[in-house]
Amino acid sequence: MNPESIRKLLEEVRAGKLSPDEGVERLRHLPFEDLGFAKVDHHRTLRVGMPEVVFGPGKTPAQMAAIFRKLAKHGKNVLATRATEEQFSAVKKISRGAKFEASARAIVLRRDRKRYGKGLITVISAGTSDIPVAEEAAVTADVMGNQVERIYDVGVAGIHRLLAHREAISRSRVAIVCAGMEGALPSVVGGMIGIPVIAVPTSVGYGAAFHGVAALLGMMNSCASNVTVVNIDNGFGAGYVASLINRL
Amino acid sequence: MNPESIRKLLEEVRAGKLSPDEGVERLRHLPFEDLGFAKVDHHRTLRVGMPEVVFGPGKTPAQMAAIFRKLAKHGKNVLATRATEEQFSAVKKISRGAKFEASARAIVLRRDRKRYGKGLITVISAGTSDIPVAEEAAVTADVMGNQVERIYDVGVAGIHRLLAHREAISRSRVAIVCAGMEGALPSVVGGMIGIPVIAVPTSVGYGAAFHGVAALLGMMNSCASNVTVVNIDNGFGAGYVASLINRL
Amino acid sequence: MNPESIRKLLEEVRAGKLSPDEGVERLRHLPFEDLGFAKVDHHRTLRVGMPEVVFGPGKTPAQMAAIFRKLAKHGKNVLATRATEEQFSAVKKISRGAKFEASARAIVLRRDRKRYGKGLITVISAGTSDIPVAEEAAVTADVMGNQVERIYDVGVAGIHRLLAHREAISRSRVAIVCAGMEGALPSVVGGMIGIPVIAVPTSVGYGAAFHGVAALLGMMNSCASNVTVVNIDNGFGAGYVASLINRL
Amino acid sequence: MNPESIRKLLEEVRAGKLSPDEGVERLRHLPFEDLGFAKVDHHRTLRVGMPEVVFGPGKTPAQMAAIFRKLAKHGKNVLATRATEEQFSAVKKISRGAKFEASARAIVLRRDRKRYGKGLITVISAGTSDIPVAEEAAVTADVMGNQVERIYDVGVAGIHRLLAHREAISRSRVAIVCAGMEGALPSVVGGMIGIPVIAVPTSVGYGAAFHGVAALLGMMNSCASNVTVVNIDNGFGAGYVASLINRL
Amino acid sequence: MNPESIRKLLEEVRAGKLSPDEGVERLRHLPFEDLGFAKVDHHRTLRVGMPEVVFGPGKTPAQMAAIFRKLAKHGKNVLATRATEEQFSAVKKISRGAKFEASARAIVLRRDRKRYGKGLITVISAGTSDIPVAEEAAVTADVMGNQVERIYDVGVAGIHRLLAHREAISRSRVAIVCAGMEGALPSVVGGMIGIPVIAVPTSVGYGAAFHGVAALLGMMNSCASNVTVVNIDNGFGAGYVASLINRL
Amino acid sequence: MNPESIRKLLEEVRAGKLSPDEGVERLRHLPFEDLGFAKVDHHRTLRVGMPEVVFGPGKTPAQMAAIFRKLAKHGKNVLATRATEEQFSAVKKISRGAKFEASARAIVLRRDRKRYGKGLITVISAGTSDIPVAEEAAVTADVMGNQVERIYDVGVAGIHRLLAHREAISRSRVAIVCAGMEGALPSVVGGMIGIPVIAVPTSVGYGAAFHGVAALLGMMNSCASNVTVVNIDNGFGAGYVASLINRL
Amino acid sequence: MNPESIRKLLEEVRAGKLSPDEGVERLRHLPFEDLGFAKVDHHRTLRVGMPEVVFGPGKTPAQMAAIFRKLAKHGKNVLATRATEEQFSAVKKISRGAKFEASARAIVLRRDRKRYGKGLITVISAGTSDIPVAEEAAVTADVMGNQVERIYDVGVAGIHRLLAHREAISRSRVAIVCAGMEGALPSVVGGMIGIPVIAVPTSVGYGAAFHGVAALLGMMNSCASNVTVVNIDNGFGAGYVASLINRL
Amino acid sequence: MNPESIRKLLEEVRAGKLSPDEGVERLRHLPFEDLGFAKVDHHRTLRVGMPEVVFGPGKTPAQMAAIFRKLAKHGKNVLATRATEEQFSAVKKISRGAKFEASARAIVLRRDRKRYGKGLITVISAGTSDIPVAEEAAVTADVMGNQVERIYDVGVAGIHRLLAHREAISRSRVAIVCAGMEGALPSVVGGMIGIPVIAVPTSVGYGAAFHGVAALLGMMNSCASNVTVVNIDNGFGAGYVASLINRL
């Protein structure tokens, strides 16, 4: 069902082939969600500049390539997260322009290089082990048309390293902060600046880090009020929501 | 927006006051969910014989009485769960017919006494402390028009007590089994009969019972395949879904 | 011990070879559970149309084939869940009719194709990663003699996809809803229809999904009262209990 | 230490009273954090339109009044969260203009009514029990100079109620979504709109709700990528960060 | 159904009033569990010297007195655990001989003072706060006819205090060891002696003691192989099972 | 330091070479634990008939063989638990008499076949997957000189299978009950008999079984008072403590 | 048994009343722990300047006063932690010199004012709600003879407040850092200084703070290597161990 | 920015090229953290004798060798923890002096053999499986210039083995105690001596040991007040902080 079929129905009413009561009855038996005009329009706007995304884990290289080929047809940027070299090899064969961002574990096909974000997104990570998650966030924001700046290895146990970047951070419109272990960095960053901070707990650590739970809890309880949190290792989600904020 | 307004729109189309294109346009700007004809009809059938329900905790006696009065206007049975004597005193004043089922901690106003359930629902509890939850289930099923049989205090540490009720249990169409502590009773009941068993973990116990978590986990891992589980102490939910099954 | 031996005892009593007191004494020393006549009869009815089932994990292909051969002798449908291709290869050699349902990870031998279920069981899944669990449920229900309809990839973040299937869902007698991550789908489905909904949390997700715990908790706390829950990834259990309900 | 004292030091250098080396030495022994000029300036901008905030629990009415009086001297809006009637009575005596927002459990003193937020913040809640948290978020956003719209009692088990507000929601720049129990509402809202969604798990529920943990986990695992999460019952934090986003 | 009715049936068979086939048929329709002769006999032996027990929490003084009166009719020892002074006052009125063991929070009525246990049961506690649990165990063992020795306040941080009792401990047939906090005492005691040690975690402690969970886990992981564990604060269970062992 | 050196000291005192004061002084500076005569004697008795035990995991075949050889020198039975075929191959070369009990995953060298236990230890398991743990318990009890009877595959969902073994169970002095999933079997067994029941949770199950946690909690909360619990999969511990009880 | 009795034994040996063999035999039957000379001496040194300590919760004012009186007889400082005003009133009557340190919830009787600690102990707290725990630590260290400096309300969201105290902190020999919520402060402090940092998680916070668990996990996973942790709210323990370190 | 550039600035002021106001302005725009003179000095002292450290897991042999080479340039001791043989082979090629401490899983390059610690650090472990963690602690302390003594395999179930080392332990200035399973050893050691005890929970154990959580909780709740705790398996952290204490 679509606008055309409804117009046809209305034309039948106009032509007297269908009484208003019969028209009501026929409309009545349509699944209402198929009417959904506004929905389509609304979403159309929303989707401008949004990449097509595929989550890598559990897919064979062949499956990944097939999905990637299908998504690439829409003419937008395509992003495969948590991808492997093997998946990339298969994708490369069917999509010449695809690149492998190794440190982000991402396959990226860039078509649309327009700048949609109004300002700077800064991605900050506590330790070097947090970089893959930070890069996933950075690459996502980049693919979604944002200027991105990276500030890595500025954990809270060496607070001066972070302070050295204070000016850069305060030029940002949104900050993404990735940290494992005690997950304290978002609180410190949040206290330094007055912008939204998206905290990403990482599964970095061992023992009582519980694969990111300690960091997650730390961030949920941040004493800085400008911090919100996404799932453990969810660099993509952080980059995505930061991009939405940066378009506002 | 409702069928009448749509009919009016169609009549304008018919009368030539509105072109089909204009009609499409006007329909297009309606929030689609307001069209929802089928929804209403469908739900009307679903709601036959269903009680109005209010959850007691956190409501003052006055608030409870006000809500109860409002719900009672629909002419259906009304059920207030986890209610207190104080709440009942307030309700009693505005609704003469209301009764307090003390052991179920429920206020009940019975209007519709039709038998909607096709067979017997048996409510089984492990210990005497589980009875409030079991009674909540039993009263719910009763208010929803079912024949209910209660078999209480038949915990697994005295398996002969349960076995003595085997015949009664096997006459049922659905069984609700309430147990705290190790929550083992649903598995044993489930193995005795070939009907759906709805397991209700209760918060009865102490220490490593963790307020019903031990029972909940026990029931989730039941070695009997005919067991499904509801939330801790959720006698109402169990009675509700058993009633739905018994109407089939 | 069996009815014949009891009849023989009674004949000795009748013949005066055994006094009533001696008869009581002899009966008294029988393990009472061996008397269990009714039990057998009762269970016989229950077991009509029920498949023989074997759980695959931890079994070598040879062990699986041996168990399968033994179960196949009962002349019923046979179902091996969580099975592998290797197990199937071994089974195939001894049971020509066995089929491998790859998406359900199940080996199935269909003998009895009678329709035992009275209506439709709909199996709904949130994401494509939930399909193996959903298929396990669907195949189980199918093997137990039910008409099954599948509605996949209708997660709550795209609510219109689910709404598009509303009519199909409302034709069902029972719905099975499989979801990982936040496990929200059963609540939405439960609110749309007035039939029993069996929720299956899946281990799909990462980080704070905790291998299905987030979904399990979500489902236990469903705000829809017609939802009951089975163990994480327990597609079989959901299909089994849905089949029992559908026979009522 | 402040700019004046540094100027004095420089003047001594200029006057030759202090050699450059001695100047370096004296600067060297200053705690560097006291130099922090940029810091102050930077923060001054950040703090425009920000309310003074006090967290109520654990404070006697007298303590609350004393803190409130002190904060009120800054000439900004003052907000006391999780406040009681008793605390308000004490505050009222020293601050005539203070109001008690009972449903938000907040004391508010409005001085600055300027609109700092550029667009609309919508606050959505699943059930009536979630309203205190939702109101805390709404009052916070209001006190911080935003236009706020409330959409309450639109839980996922009655999805049509939520859909009826789709248009209002899509007019927003940021949405705050509060839900207890299974915490599914942010996912559904997140899927409907392309703006940042701040999810607030509430401690509403019982049994396996674990005082908001089930909702928190559900939200962390949201299948909608535009959802970030704050602490259980943290309406203030959600309102605060939504306000920051709305200023962008 | 009982032996008499079966004898009557056999007499009818003998008298030719009932054919053996009719006899089989009538026996067949008896619920088999009612036949259970052996059960009764078996249990009769088991129950010699066993007290009647009632769990105090949640019972009004009147309810406690009523239950106590009923249990006291069996002529055995009666034990009410986790009882209050108020419950005792009510019991005292209807049962003159009842005593309140305040430190064990138990009401005891001693009728049968026979020594059923063959040797000594030693009850050991780590700190003074563990004494109520230890006393519950000691009083239970005493009421069940055992010689009991108490060794209190011998926590592992003062290992010499425990060592000073080594000889007394090694005279025991069974040891009950109660400890909260880290729950280390059973491991140390278990390593000192070659007898069964029943470990009782107590809810003593704060913070990461998690109401006895730390102690429970410590005891479950004891490096001494002769340690088994009961529920947190379950002094009764420990005293009960120690009594069973001491009768062997 | 040993008795001889003390005798020598006393002889010096006797011979006047050492004054009593000097003797006190010299004794005073001995580490007191080296004096420990009684300790040795006491333990000597305890260790009669006790096997030498080695825990397999993490040891190379060569390490296992070396440890086994060393333990075998004491002339007692030797037991290696959680052992592999590879470890056994290495052990076999240096200890001809060693046997591999595959179902118990144990290497056993039997030297002492004396019966130390006074009665029967029965080992009961719920499902076939629990057998490795049950066999570990059974082999341990056997190696420690006990008569052992195995009753396997009698889970609570088929309660008649368990009841069929009631007489055998009630002949036992101690019962070991192994169960995974909901861990309900010890409660049912405990209710049938008046002897000590040692419950062993197994890691059998999936999803919300949490690798044995559900079973562990079920057993900790058993409604049968004669149940104590050991660690998950700790068949050895159960067999060990059952042996100690059976020697009493 | 004590040195005197051993000397007597040696004198009997010297006098020939006892042969060396008999002496060995008599020594052999002494419980070895009663010999423990060294133990006493050793401990004597350790206990110099150590206060007598009593834990307040669960004690009636009368009990507290009685214990306090007894401890006060040793002539040392006495410290009652987690004490109430009521307990202090009772103590005051029997011990004139006792003082109530309200902010530390401690009763203190100072007798020995000697400075045992060699340097400065700094106690740092993140928020004002953490002060009771910080004060417990500070008062403990003070009572144990240390110079103590307090730096409060320097949480990580306002890092400049902490930095302003850098010099004071770096003068310390040991630091105690108390924080609730995300518990990040010890990591930051640990990174600023090269001395031992004792971290005290506090139960301050709500929701996902889980009564101090979030802070505890944060501290366990500190990226600063000089941090060790004590139990939640255990200010006493932190003060105690800091005092031991400061005596080194 | 560094002292030189500041001196230059001051010289310009002195020379009249820059007015004091301009100087203030220029200083004002320097990031204050780059001024940080004191910081450098302070840290210089702290870092004397501190090794360069690298954490092995997740690094390829080539990466490890590259990092090691870089760290080795500082002329200090270098320590790689949790290292593998493969990593060592690669390191060996570029750093002749590097040694592999297999039992500690550490690569060590010793340059500075000065004794920085004033006394003895004793490292104690409960079982042989705890040795890798204990060795990590011991090697760390050794590399940091301490005298280290090892006392292994003295678990609490054989308390006499620990007591035999009492004198050695009491000669220490700090003790590190490593234990898995129930983690009771630090409490016992803590009770024996009056020095700081650093407890290291290890992940040794199975089932309810939960990979070190049981031990961690046990240690957090130690009844000995001189115990502080580090993360599970964090031998390095324990060795590091013990070294800091031993320098005091």
Side-chain angles (χ1 to χ4, degrees), chain B residues 65-226:
Chain B
I67 294 169
F68 208 95
R69 184 208 303 266
K70 193 173 139 199
L71 294 178
K73 287 186 183 154
H74 299 184
K76 298 180 176 186
N77 289 341
V78 185
L79 171 65
T81 60
R82 313 274 172 99
T84 62
E85 291 250 20
E86 290 67 31
Q87 290 174 331
F88 175 62
S89 300
V91 167
K92 187 70 186 170
K93 285 176 195 152
I94 60 98
S95 175
R96 293 266 160 133
K99 295 244 167 77
F100 190 57
E101 306 272 7
S103 62
R105 300 170 301 178
I107 306 172
V108 179
L109 176 63
R110 279 186 183 76
R111 295 279 187 54
D112 176 359
R113 294 182 184 271
K114 194 175 154 189
R115 194 51 64 88
Y116 292 95
K118 294 184 182 164
L120 176 68
I121 294 175
T122 302
V123 181
I124 306 172
S125 85
T128 53
S129 307
D130 302 314
I131 290 179
V133 176
E135 275 296 304
E136 185 178 298
V139 166
T140 299
D142 176 83
V143 166
M144 290 176 75
N146 295 281
Q147 184 192 353
V148 178
E149 187 158 329
R150 287 141 167 105
I151 301 176
Y152 290 168
D153 201 15
V154 291
V156 299
I159 202 71
H160 57 283
R161 290 178 305 190
L162 176 64
L163 294 176
H165 293 280
R166 198 188 41 164
E167 197 171 348
I169 294 171
S170 56
R171 280 197 327 267
S172 317
R173 281 190 105 216
V174 199
I176 294 168
V177 185
C178 305
M181 302 173 77
E182 78 268 69
L185 190 56
S187 292
V188 178
V189 171
M192 286 166 63
I193 52 177
I195 59 168
V197 170
I198 299 164
V200 192
T202 74
S203 53
V204 167
Y206 63 88
F210 297 134
H211 307 292
V213 171
L216 171 57
L217 293 186
M219 292 170 181
M220 293 305 309
N221 288 289
S222 174
C223 48
S225 299
N226 50 345

Side-chain angles (χ1 to χ4, degrees), chain F residues 71-93:
Chain F
L71 295 179
K73 289 185 182 153
H74 300 184
K76 297 182 176 185
N77 290 340
V78 185
L79 171 64
T81 61
R82 313 275 173 98
T84 62
E85 291 251 20
E86 289 68 31
Q87 290 174 333
F88 175 63
S89 298
V91 166
K92 186 68 187 172
K93 286 176 195 152

Side-chain angles (χ1 to χ4, degrees), chain E residues 157 181-182 184 187 191 208-209 218 221-223, chain H residues 157 182 184 187 191 208-209 218 221-223:
Chain E
M181 302 175 77
E182 78 267 71
S187 292
N221 290 289
S222 175
C223 49
Chain H
E182 77 269 69
S187 292
N221 289 288
S222 175
C223 49

